[in-house]
């Protein structure tokens, strides 16, 4: 028999321990629980999987909670990825149980789809930091002219999809499952620190970029404007960081992208 997946209208769970007063319940009220699914198998085995946004940092990967139930809905096993999860009674386990039990018997077939929507905290971050107006967009541009050498540039870029490796990851992603999309989202937020040869490549590019722009400007007799982070006016979750903006007739004509690969370091340059 195929696995039956339920995403709303859950039946209550009977926990194997007394739920501490208010422990984890505030997380549920704050909308920290998302992508909860119940998987039912033909042998009466049931597993519930849910994700809980961390209180300490909403940008880190959420904790995955797994609950195993018998055919009477008694909790037989629970686990969480947090440090306290091995004890099977952490607040993240409690909040997933509270989430499921609060949904007990609720039919949502006549209501708008709710699962998969951003949590209240995610919506707050979006409206306060991502969905900015034109005035703020101009401020971000002017305050991030040093790009990767500026912490503010890193912050505003981190909470958006940039025209770089992030766009490439989305384009080549083939895993459309909830777990796959969650991992993709976390990989976009948690960028790996560049080390080793990769760091050497980046440093060489940053050291030669200014000279390359000056040579380009001289060769083509064009003015190149230093560029900060550019946030899309209509889709503010998108951004880009061109190396420069080309000015013609006192107007922005096009964007300039400079590539200085370290592999060409010892090659003769013609200009």
């Amino acid at each position: 028999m195929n696995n039956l997946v339920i995403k709303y209208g859950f039946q209550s769970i009977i926990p194997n321990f007394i739920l501490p007063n208010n422990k984890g319940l505030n997380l549920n009220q704050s909308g920290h629980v998302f992508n909860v699914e119940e998987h039912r198998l033909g042998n009466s085995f049931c597993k519930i999987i849910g994700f809980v946004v961390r209180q300490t940092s909403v940008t880190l990967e959420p904790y995955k909670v797994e609950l195993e139930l018998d055919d009477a809905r008694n909790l037989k096993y629970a686990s969480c990825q947090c440090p306290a999860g091995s004890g099977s009674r952490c607040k993240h386990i409690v909040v997933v149980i509270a989430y499921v039990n609060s949904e007990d018997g609720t039919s949502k077939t006549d209501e708008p789809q709710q699962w998969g929507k951003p949590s209240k905290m995610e919506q707050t971050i979006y409206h306060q930091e991502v969905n900015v107006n034109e005035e703020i967009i101009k401020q971000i541009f002017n305050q991030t002219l040093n790009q990767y050498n500026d912490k503010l540039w890193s912050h505003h870029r981190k909470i958006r999809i940039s025209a770089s490796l992030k766009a490439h990851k989305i384009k080549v992603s083939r895993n459309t499952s909830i777990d796959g999309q969650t991992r993709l989202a976390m990989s976009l937020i948690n960028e790996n620190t560049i080390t080793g040869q990769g760091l050497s490549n980046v440093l060489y590019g940053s050291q030669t970029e200014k000279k390359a722009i000056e040579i380009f400007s001289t060769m083509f007799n064009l003015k190149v404007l230093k560029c900060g982070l550019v946030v899309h006016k209509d889709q503010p979750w998108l951004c880009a960081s061109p190396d420069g903006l080309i000015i013609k007739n006192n107007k922005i004509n096009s964007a300039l992208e400079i590539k200085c690969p370290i592999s060409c370091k010892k090659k003769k340059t013609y200009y």
Side-chain angles (χ1 to χ4, degrees):
M1 182 177 178
N2 292 332
N3 188 8
L4 175 64
V5 180
I6 298 173
K7 298 182 179 180
Y8 46 81
F10 304 104
Q11 294 178 323
S12 286
I13 296 173
I14 303 173
N16 55 9
F17 60 92
I18 298 176
L19 299 180
N21 292 333
N22 297 324
K23 183 179 182 181
L25 300 183
N26 291 334
L27 288 175
N28 186 31
Q29 295 171 355
S30 301
H32 278 242
V33 184
F34 68 102
N35 287 352
V36 177
E37 290 185 349
E38 180 174 326
H39 297 257
R40 295 184 182 178
L41 303 177
N43 58 1
S44 299
F45 176 79
C46 174
K47 174 181 281 189
I48 293 177
I49 300 173
F51 294 87
V52 182
V53 177
R54 307 187 190 198
Q55 283 182 297
T56 53
S57 177
V58 297
T59 61
L60 293 178
E61 185 173 357
Y63 291 127
K64 182 179 180 180
V65 173
E66 294 189 19
L67 311 175
E68 293 182 7
L69 316 176
D70 62 18
D71 55 358
R73 307 289 293 178
N74 293 298
L75 180 64
K76 307 304 290 184
Y77 173 78
S79 68
C80 176
Q81 293 177 324
C82 77
S86 59
S88 302
R89 299 186 183 185
C90 70
K91 62 184 177 183
H92 308 106
I93 291 173
V94 171
V95 73
V96 172
I97 294 174
Y99 176 89
V100 170
N101 288 353
S102 68
E103 296 282 294
D104 180 32
T106 303
S107 175
K108 298 188 177 181
T109 55
D110 297 325
E111 297 181 12
Q113 176 179 301
Q114 296 298 318
W115 54 269
K117 290 188 175 181
S119 67
K120 292 178 182 178
M121 178 169 290
E122 290 168 334
Q123 292 181 47
T124 299
I125 294 173
Y126 175 78
H127 289 297
Q128 289 184 354
E129 298 196 50
V130 179
N131 190 24
V132 292
N133 57 36
E134 288 190 49
E135 187 61 33
I136 300 298
I137 288 175
K138 292 177 183 177
Q139 290 180 18
I140 292 174
F141 178 90
N142 291 322
Q143 292 171 350
T144 57
L145 295 176
N146 291 323
Q147 294 199 7
Y148 43 80
N149 293 319
D150 194 314
K151 290 183 178 180
L152 197 59
W153 177 85
S154 299
H155 169 74
H156 286 296
R157 186 173 177 271
K158 184 175 183 179
I159 58 177
R160 293 177 170 84
I161 298 175
S162 56
S164 58
L165 182 60
K166 289 184 178 181
H168 176 72
K169 284 184 177 180
I170 295 171
K171 187 175 181 179
V172 301
S173 175
R174 296 291 182 268
N175 190 341
T176 58
S177 68
I178 290 178
D179 276 353
Q181 294 299 297
T182 299
R183 285 194 295 271
L184 173 61
M186 290 303 104
S187 72
L188 300 181
I189 294 174
N190 301 317
E191 296 181 327
N192 294 327
T193 302
I194 301 175
T195 58
Q197 185 59 47
L199 180 59
S200 298
N201 296 343
V202 171
L203 291 175
Y204 177 79
S206 63
Q207 291 166 359
T208 54
E209 184 179 286
K210 184 178 179 180
K211 182 178 179 180
I213 292 176
E214 291 174 351
I215 293 173
F216 172 87
S217 180
T218 302
M219 284 178 64
F220 297 98
N221 193 28
L222 292 171
K223 182 179 179 180
V224 179
L225 180 69
K226 196 173 183 181
C227 186
L229 187 71
V230 179
V231 177
H232 197 290
K233 182 182 68 172
D234 300 317
Q235 297 172 317
W237 57 90
L238 301 176
C239 68
S241 300
D243 294 319
L245 299 175
I246 299 174
I247 307 299
K248 282 187 178 180
N249 300 321
N250 295 320
K251 293 183 179 180
I252 296 175
N253 176 266
S254 54
L256 177 65
E257 185 67 22
I258 299 292
K259 295 299 180 185
C260 301
I262 197 170
S263 58
C264 298
K265 183 177 181 179
K266 297 182 180 180
K267 292 184 179 180
K268 189 173 181 179
T269 304
Y270 299 90
Y271 54 87

